[in-house]
Amino acid sequence: MTSRALIVSTLLLIPSLAFGAWNLEGKSKITFHADGPAGFAIDGSSKEFSVSETPESMVFSVPVTAVTTGIELRDEHMHNYAEAESFPTVTLTIPKDQLTFPAEGQKKSAGIAQGTFNMHGVDKPAKVKYAMKAEKVGVSWVAAFSFNTEAHGIVVPDYMGVTVDPAMSAQAKFTTVPAE
Amino acid sequence: MLKRLTALAVMLLGLLLTPSDAQAYAWSVNHGYTTCASCHADPSGGGLVTEYGRAQGEIFIRTPWEERGSEWEPGKAADFAFGAVDLPEWLITGATIRGGAARLDTPSTDPSVFPIVMQADLRAQVTVGKVRAYGSLGALPTGSAEEARVLRNDTVNLYSREHWLGVDVTGDLVVRAGRMALPYGNRILEHNAWARTSTRTDINADQQDGINAHYGKGDWRAEVMGIAGNLQLSPAGYRERGYSGLVEYSIGPKLVVGASSLLTVAELDIQTLDQRTRQAHGLQVRSSPVHGLAILGEGHLLVDSSNGSAPSLGSTGWIQADYEIFQGLHVAAAGEWLQQEVGTSLGGWGSATWFFAPKTDLRVDYIHRQNATSSGRTPSHMVLGQLHFSL
């Protein structure tokens, strides 16, 4: 349906850095937003979200088929547009040196990180706005970035005359704790 | 007293006997639809549905009896006349009929069941480039849809609720001129709710002529209409002139808040036969706090002035909870009030609607009202059953 829109979401990061690996804690909220004509909007979410890391970067992943919008047929169309079978995962990769964690004695930090968003097998730069808050154990995150599905080689979604704007946004809220 | 009660009963009957419009499902916010323009030719909803809207009727409105695998699509059940007629892209059209029976019980009337044909409309929209021409035409027994009547004889009224020319200036802005529903409050199906009748903003017969601009982009939606009056009323002194408008903001995918405002002046008000200035200003909300539940609410300040006298203040409101038990079956409870000089009337609605087949639904309402009179509140009870079918 309409939307088929697509996408994704993923997000951000975590601290692992020199402090070792981190795990997700509690419920993560991964959402995306797309607009159509005359105020029409599609909002989707994913219940699946994972974090991994390389020596240089944090990698945040969402399975395309885990992204849903509340209407099954629209989800089906969305997954088809994104060619989920060929490109099952969207990822956001952020170099660790782009992230600023709450300093010792500080509760919060925030910044803009330059990352790479991969969707539909195509990498594009992503400017990720993030904020972190130190919890009793671990760090809670809020992060957001914009992307354009057309730039990732995805056909502009159109269903029965309703076209979805390929300029979309994603947001993530999650908490990370040090791995035991 | 008896005279007043009889008048009340006649008024209630009249409200029931007039046609009601179809397809204005504000509870779609439960499915993430905070705006209406993608599904309806009228960007604020109600009336003719687009091809996209037809598909949604199959996708998330009716009860699915069939297996819906990954290859399922709405198919011909969503098409005009079930696909029997192929329409060109520049034309969308639809036909709808709504009928049933009602029982009204008031202190001044003997309860009786009477049949009702509420709606028998044809609608179409022709699009050429950025220009759209929309029209509806219906036929009902003489005495029905008087405000929208274009022709009549001894037995039949031919009426047109809506007819307008529009230009899609951009994908976000449409400007229309003609007869259309006023932008005000939530566009609900319950056209005889006090929030609609006291503001004269229902989608049944309160359409007026004028120029309208609708803008929707991102989380914002706004619509304003300069009202030239109902040109199907004559003499011209009956016609109200003024404005009506609303602005709404979506706070996330399942919460919309908005404000509405209306001011009209008539030399000879059709109800009071006085020079009358009417104002209504209020707030509306549509939300779905949990899956399956839609909350529709609105409250309005009413300001009324006749023949230059000091304005009298009143208020009205409506709050409804609609729960979708399973796809296609809705139960709803609503409360309403109307505060006027004579006192405060209170009402409660219980409704069940089942979209059990393509383009077909069955609805039952029970409406209990405590109507304010100068001698206190007078109760009324109404049971209404209706079958609605469209092509």
Side-chain angles (χ1 to χ4, degrees), chain A residues 25-107:
Chain A
E25 169 81 2
K27 286 186 178 178
S28 302
K29 185 176 182 182
I30 312 299
T31 61
F32 83 92
H33 177 87
D35 289 318
F40 173 75
I42 298 167
D43 290 274
S45 63
S46 173
K47 290 182 178 175
E48 296 183 38
F49 174 57
S50 62
V51 181
S52 60
E53 64 179 303
T54 66
E56 297 80 25
S57 302
M58 303 301 303
V59 182
F60 308 92
S61 304
V62 172
V64 173
T65 54
V67 181
T68 59
T69 66
I71 295 179
E72 286 184 20
L73 182 60
R74 178 161 62 189
D75 298 340
E76 190 67 33
H77 291 161
M78 179 176 70
H79 301 153
N80 290 341
Y81 270 98
E83 299 187 86
E85 285 192 8
S86 301
F87 309 103
T89 306
V90 295
T91 60
L92 179 68
T93 303
I94 300 179
K96 293 175 180 175
D97 61 10
Q98 289 284 312
L99 300 170
T100 301
F101 295 89
E104 192 72 32
Q106 298 282 318
K107 282 289 282 183

Side-chain angles (χ1 to χ4, degrees), chain A residues 1-2 33 35 37-41 43 71 73-74 76-77 159-160 162, chain B residues 33 35 37-38 51-52 55-56 59 70 72-74 171-172 216 218 253:
Chain A
M1 124 141 43
T2 220
H33 177 87
D35 289 318
F40 173 75
D43 290 274
I71 295 179
L73 182 60
R74 178 161 62 189
E76 190 67 33
H77 291 161
Y159 187 64
M160 296 190 176
V162 174
Chain B
Y33 283 88
T35 60
S38 57
E51 183 186 12
Y52 180 88
Q56 305 320 304
I59 293 168
S70 60
W72 180 87
E73 288 284 344
D172 305 315

Side-chain angles (χ1 to χ4, degrees), chain B residues 85-158:
Chain B
V85 180
D86 277 334
L87 297 178
E89 280 191 13
W90 50 265
L91 174 66
I92 55 174
T93 189
T96 183
I97 185 164
R98 184 185 289 270
R103 175 191 163 109
L104 177 66
D105 185 358
T106 74
S108 61
T109 58
D110 292 328
S112 60
V113 176
F114 48 92
I116 309 172
V117 178
M118 292 181 277
Q119 183 179 55
D121 287 20
L122 293 169
R123 305 184 182 109
Q125 177 180 274
V126 172
T127 303
V128 179
K130 291 189 170 186
V131 178
R132 292 193 265 158
Y134 179 109
S136 73
L137 198 59
L140 284 172
T142 298
S144 301
E146 287 292 331
E147 300 93 331
R149 189 186 70 220
V150 290
L151 285 173
R152 73 168 175 182
N153 62 22
D154 290 342
T155 56
V156 174
N157 266 359
L158 202 60

Side-chain angles (χ1 to χ4, degrees), chain A residues 11-16 20-28 49-53 58-60 99 101-102 131-142 173-179:
Chain A
L11 274 302
L12 268 251
L13 40 24
I14 323 338
S16 93
W22 294 71
N23 289 333
L24 292 170
E25 169 81 2
K27 286 186 178 178
S28 302
F49 174 57
S50 62
V51 181
S52 60
E53 64 179 303
M58 303 301 303
V59 182
F60 308 92
L99 300 170
F101 295 89
M132 300 186 220
K133 181 182 174 187
E135 304 291 352
K136 284 185 179 177
V137 178
V139 178
S140 62
W141 298 79
V142 177
K173 295 180 181 179
F174 57 92
T175 299
T176 53
V177 295

Side-chain angles (χ1 to χ4, degrees), chain B residues 54-376:
Chain B
R54 286 179 170 280
Q56 305 320 304
E58 283 293 290
I59 293 168
F60 75 82
I61 291 181
R62 82 154 166 93
T63 298
W65 300 105
E66 71 281 16
E67 279 295 318
R68 292 187 172 182
S70 60
E71 301 300 313
W72 180 87
E73 288 284 344
K76 291 188 179 299
D79 295 343
F80 173 69
F82 295 91
V85 180
D86 277 334
L87 297 178
E89 280 191 13
W90 50 265
L91 174 66
I92 55 174
T93 189
T96 183
I97 185 164
R98 184 185 289 270
R103 175 191 163 109
L104 177 66
D105 185 358
T106 74
S108 61
T109 58
D110 292 328
S112 60
V113 176
F114 48 92
I116 309 172
V117 178
M118 292 181 277
Q119 183 179 55
D121 287 20
L122 293 169
R123 305 184 182 109
Q125 177 180 274
V126 172
T127 303
V128 179
K130 291 189 170 186
V131 178
R132 292 193 265 158
Y134 179 109
S136 73
L137 198 59
L140 284 172
T142 298
S144 301
E146 287 292 331
E147 300 93 331
R149 189 186 70 220
V150 290
L151 285 173
R152 73 168 175 182
N153 62 22
D154 290 342
T155 56
V156 174
N157 266 359
L158 202 60
Y159 60 90
S160 175
R161 290 194 184 93
E162 301 156 305
H163 40 263
W164 45 261
L165 274 173
V167 178
D168 289 295
V169 182
T170 68
D172 305 315
L173 174 66
V174 57
V175 176
R176 298 178 290 158
R179 190 177 201 272
M180 65 200 84
L182 301 185
Y184 191 91
N186 285 329
R187 194 154 286 185
I188 55 176
L189 192 58
E190 292 81 1
H191 65 90
N192 50 343
W194 284 321
R196 295 283 73 81
T197 57
S198 64
T199 54
R200 297 185 185 172
T201 55
D202 72 34
I203 54 173
N204 168 35
D206 283 337
Q207 293 88 350
Q208 304 238 28
D209 292 88
I211 295 177
N212 176 303
H214 178 279
Y215 179 79
K217 188 173 180 61
D219 296 325
W220 290 93
R221 186 175 83 87
E223 184 173 9
V224 64
M225 180 171 172
I227 302 169
N230 178 2
L231 301 186
Q232 281 150 259
L233 284 180
S234 59
Y238 286 133
R239 297 170 190 161
E240 296 184 308
R241 294 178 175 84
Y243 78 88
S244 177
L246 57 79
V247 60
E248 292 188 340
Y249 180 72
S250 298
I251 307 172
K254 294 191 174 184
L255 175 60
V256 183
V257 295
S260 297
S261 180
L262 174 151
L263 185 152
T264 63
V265 178
E267 292 175 17
L268 199 62
D269 183 80
I270 195 167
Q271 285 182 343
T272 65
L273 301 182
D274 292 324
Q275 190 279 336
R276 187 176 181 192
T277 300
R278 294 190 307 111
Q279 296 183 60
H281 311 284
L283 303 172
Q284 67 263 18
V285 63
R286 301 188 295 281
S287 74
S288 179
V290 297
H291 181 67
L293 178 66
I295 304 292
L296 310 173
E298 54 190 298
H300 307 285
L301 172 70
L302 306 174
V303 185
D304 203 331
S305 175
S306 294
N307 298 324
S309 62
S312 63
L313 300 180
S315 67
T316 187
W318 166 271
I319 185 163
Q320 181 183 54
D322 179 292
Y323 185 69
E324 191 169 12
I325 298 173
F326 56 79
Q327 182 170 322
L329 180 61
H330 295 250
V331 292
E336 61 177 342
W337 85 86
L338 175 62
Q339 181 201 3
Q340 297 174 300
E341 279 189 334
V342 69
T344 300
S345 301
L346 300 172
W349 296 51
S351 308
T353 308
W354 189 17
F355 299 86
F356 63 93
K359 301 169 181 170
T360 310
D361 63 89
L362 181 66
R363 174 168 176 150
V364 178
D365 291 277
Y366 170 71
I367 307 166
H368 173 70
R369 280 175 163 170
Q370 292 286 337
N371 303 282
T373 69
S374 55
S375 55

